[in-house]
């Protein structure tokens, strides 16, 4: 079974993130809200953020290999998808953008303009492995359950299933090439969500509250 965070774990993680640097706070927030893979977050360009329509375009990913180093490639399924963002996420990205501009100004001639949203202090692209490393240290510092980027992806999918969203919608948000991939991975969560739905309808139709 895929590993997911419980709602109380998510609440603790969000609370602990308040004291962290805005770059890492924003990266972690996006992992949870979008369900993107870590390489897709690292490969996000500023021009892929549609501020007016509150969405991002996911069309590439940053990868790493010992031979090539950090390099840009297509998404895992070689497809492009658009992900809607809540207003809270857009506001956080605006705050981060201000910090980013200040960082670029401080670096002056040492800055390397790459167009990526998340970069090293000199503007160079980040190694996607750095997300996993930072999250591991973050979880240890705050006595949190072990955190890896993909666990956020599973958490988002499970939350959507439990709140009644269909597999097609969830599959598109995750960027799976086939809906069957989504249903195979989350079959146990779909089953639990269906059981929850059965109990819900029974509570409403078959077990109406008794009036005093």
């Amino acid at each position: 079974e895929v590993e997911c965070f419980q709602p109380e774990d998510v609440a603790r993680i969000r609370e602990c993130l308040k004291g962290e640097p805005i770059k890492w706070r924003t990266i972690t927030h996006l992992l949870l809200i979008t369900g993107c893979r870590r390489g897709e977050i690292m490969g996000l360009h500023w021009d892929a953020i549609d501020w007016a329509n509150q969405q991002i375009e996911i069309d590439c990913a940053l990868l790493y290999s010992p031979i090539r180093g950090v390099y840009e490639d297509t998404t895992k399924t070689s497809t492009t998808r658009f992900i809607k963002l809540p207003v809270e996420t857009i506001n956080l990205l605006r705050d981060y953008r201000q910090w980013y501009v200040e960082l670029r100004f401080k670096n002056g001639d040492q800055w390397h303009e790459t167009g990526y949203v998340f970069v090293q202090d000199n503007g160079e692209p980040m190694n996607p492995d750095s997300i996993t490393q930072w999250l591991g240290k973050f979880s240890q510092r705050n006595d949190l359950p072990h955190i890896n980027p993909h666990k956020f992806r599973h958490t988002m999918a499970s939350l959507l299933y439990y709140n009644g969203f269909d597999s097609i919608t969830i599959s598109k948000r995750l960027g799976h090439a086939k809906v069957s991939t989504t249903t195979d991975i989350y079959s146990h969560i779909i089953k639990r969500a269906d059981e929850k739905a059965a109990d819900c309808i029974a509570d409403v139709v078959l077990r109406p509250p008794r009036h005093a």
Side-chain angles (χ1 to χ4, degrees), residues 74-170:
T74 62
T75 60
K76 189 174 182 179
T77 54
S78 300
T79 58
T80 297
R81 68 188 189 278
F82 295 87
I83 299 178
K84 283 285 187 179
L85 302 176
V87 64
E88 292 86 350
T89 305
I90 289 294
N91 289 337
L92 178 58
L93 281 169
R94 290 188 190 280
D95 291 341
Y96 170 74
R97 173 67 176 174
Q98 183 177 347
W99 176 88
Y100 173 96
V101 171
E102 293 173 357
L103 178 67
R104 183 174 59 187
F105 177 77
K106 290 177 182 178
N107 275 268
D109 294 340
Q110 302 302 313
W111 182 262
H112 299 272
E113 187 57 58
T114 59
Y116 291 113
V117 174
F118 301 108
V119 294
Q120 300 178 52
D121 288 345
N122 64 353
E124 292 284 356
M126 294 174 63
N127 186 326
D129 289 341
S130 63
I131 294 183
T132 304
Q133 295 167 2
W134 187 87
L135 286 173
K137 295 176 182 177
F138 167 72
S139 59
Q140 290 179 351
R141 285 199 308 271
N142 294 281
D143 195 26
L144 294 165
H146 176 67
I147 301 175
N148 65 68
H150 229 65
K151 199 168 182 178
F152 285 121
R153 183 172 168 85
H154 295 323
T155 299
M156 187 212 69
S158 66
L159 288 173
L160 291 177
Y161 272 119
Y162 278 119
N163 283 277
F165 285 84
D166 60 275
S167 294
I168 295 176
T169 299
I170 297 172

Side-chain angles (χ1 to χ4, degrees), residues 30 34 44-59 80-91 93-94 97 115 117:
L30 284 175
T34 66
L44 183 66
H45 290 77
W46 283 112
D47 59 11
I49 301 177
D50 185 341
W51 302 97
N53 294 307
Q54 296 186 192
Q55 66 181 15
I56 55 175
E57 179 182 1
I58 303 298
D59 61 354
T80 297
R81 68 188 189 278
F82 295 87
I83 299 178
K84 283 285 187 179
L85 302 176
V87 64
E88 292 86 350
T89 305
I90 289 294
N91 289 337
L93 281 169
R94 290 188 190 280
R97 173 67 176 174
V117 174

